[in-house]
Amino acid sequence: MENNKISGAEAVIRCLLAEGVDLVYGYPGGAIMPVYDELYKFQDQLHHVLVRHEQGAAHAAQGYARVTGKVGVAIATSGPGATNLVTGIADAQIDSTPLVCITGQVGKHLLGSDAFQETDIIGISTPVTKWNYQVTEAHEIPEIIAKAFYIAKSGRPGPVLIDITKNAQFDTLDFDYKKCTGIRSYLPKPILNLQKVQEAADLINNAKKPFIVFGQGIILSQAEEQLKRFVEKSGIPAAWTILGLSALPTEHPLNVGMVGMHGNYGPNILTNECDVLIALGMRFDDRVTGNLATYAKQAKIIHFEIDPSEVDKNVKTDVAVLADVKESLTAIIPLIDKKSHDSWHNEFKEKYKIEFDAVINEELIPTNGKGISMGETIEMINKHSKGDAIMVSDVGQHQMFACRYAKFNSSKSNVTSGGLGTMGFALPAAIGAKMGQPNREVVAIIGDGGFQMNIQELGTIFQTQVPVKIVVLNNEFLGMVRQWQELFFDNRYASTKMINPNFVAIAEGYHIKSKRISQREDLDAAVAEMLASKDSYFLEVMVEKENNVFPMIPTGASVSDMRLS
């Protein structure tokens, strides 16, 4: 690209275009105004979505990134604009979502003076970003933004924040953009050790009761096809973490369900009976392992992982295969024997029957004469979406019901806040997901508590006319906290009962077609009408108030101690 003098603000836009960005989420303010002035000039090439709160910008960028595999971009001003991004950035960091967040900052000469809307966003965001940097001179902009995109996307993805002082936006530079292809001392992925692959293959081939747990690493490395081939050749039962959900079709015969606190009974109980546990692109989160002192102590542990810091962090491994999981699976598939493990699979089927009889059947087809259940609502969405929708769930009981019962045919279909557990995530993330995959149906599953945390993003839906489908499962409680209060705090419902507004009236205030149902016989037609709508649609389902999510592993308990009631 030939050299030419342009402003730092224009350079920001030209850098984004050079990285293939065509969509950004943000909210303007004084310290970022020069960039917004350039956005106005380039609006035919770079679409800006005006959110109603900067947290919404970060979550929308996450939703976009999660369903496309691209880097999501959020822009905010200094001070409160920047600090409002932090929750979304922290969420992206723990869930390995590639974001580039650009914030404005007061002029270089005012730094450290407590100027109007000055906040040390570099200091604040350092613990929750993969990398951050403050630009104080215009000439730095191309190199720093190129590095930001490379770091956000490479290796284990994550969020990057670039803070740009106002003088750097106004000053000029000779613009020349070169994409970053490497940084000295930064090794995004380890070099695959074929000896470790062979050691892993030997353990797998000699195992009598091998068990696979796969996580989001499969989706991030685009290793879905390799996972399917690995599972089908080895015949090993495979379970998923909530962020691994949809990497293998839900109905695949070797898919045995979800591990974790509210996962399926079989995969959790049998974790402590397998002889080889193969962890693929997952980090042994405490919600998956329960009490580490009793987790899979009888098993040899094989950990396929891209981030060396995750190996032996929580669970001691016998063989660590450090590499991009797509690369390591490709290498191991020729080395493993073709098997079926029929009797081992039968143990999972027996445990599923126990869970079905004790929990699932009543959840999906209630006969207790009580109100609509969350599980049957998810099942009704399955019926009408036929497993082809993207489901974006918020955080709470409805999230666990969605993850337990949603059916998915293809990858990148489950978008939720995993590690941080951010209430308010789903509404803006669904906006980003629908904009990233406009040809797929996107359904947000939200509780009445989480819905009110970012309810203002209904305004973004109205202004952009993005046809998101919103389902609020309203039990008039902060349901997950209430469940814990019932089970572990003697029914003391401290500050968990919700006195809610008229959600339908609010949605209609934003000109979104809306419906509220409370009778089971209305559920089928309401879901059908919602999914048939070409426009955005809000459906409030009044569900059973004190319905609990089971099975459940109590905090600090072993996976062997999973409760069915």
Side-chain angles (χ1 to χ4, degrees), residues 86 89-90 93 120-134 159-163:
V86 170
I89 292 170
Q93 172 78 344
D120 177 14
I121 194 61
I122 295 298
I124 289 170
S125 67
T126 294
V128 293
T129 49
K130 192 174 174 185
W131 183 61
N132 64 13
Y133 188 90
Q134 186 172 71
V160 172
L161 182 134
I162 306 301
D163 192 41

Side-chain angles (χ1 to χ4, degrees), residues 81 92 123 131 184 260 275 298 321 350 353 394 419 494 559:
W131 183 61
R184 204 172 110 189
D275 58 358
Q298 78 296 338
V321 183
E350 287 162 14
K353 173 99 172 55
D394 211 81
V559 290

Side-chain angles (χ1 to χ4, degrees), residues 408-467:
F408 297 120
N409 300 323
S410 57
S411 187
K412 297 188 178 75
S413 295
N414 175 55
V415 179
T416 195
S417 170
L420 198 64
T422 306
M423 291 175 68
F425 171 87
L427 190 61
I431 294 170
K434 183 62 180 177
M435 289 180 168
Q437 294 287 358
N439 296 323
R440 293 189 66 189
E441 197 69 75
V442 173
V443 183
I445 309 291
I446 315 178
D448 49 311
F451 184 52
Q452 293 176 85
M453 288 202 170
N454 275 315
I455 196 170
Q456 75 285 341
E457 297 310 324
L458 292 173
T460 308
I461 292 172
F462 171 47
Q463 182 163 343
T464 59
Q465 294 297 297
V466 60

Side-chain angles (χ1 to χ4, degrees), residues 38 76 83 227 232 265 268 302 332 334 388 439 455 473 506 543 547 559:
E38 295 299 332
T83 58
L227 171 67
E232 288 175 353
Y265 187 61
N268 280 292
I302 304 171
I332 201 169
D388 292 329
N439 296 323
I455 196 170
L473 301 178
I506 292 170
V543 294
N547 188 23
V559 290

Side-chain angles (χ1 to χ4, degrees), residues 34 49 53 229 237 239 248 274 290 391 408 421 463 486 503 544 553:
V49 177
H53 188 287
R229 283 166 48 208
L248 189 68
C274 69
M391 280 202 209
F408 297 120
Q463 182 163 343
E486 177 187 329
F503 290 135
E544 182 62 32
I553 303 166

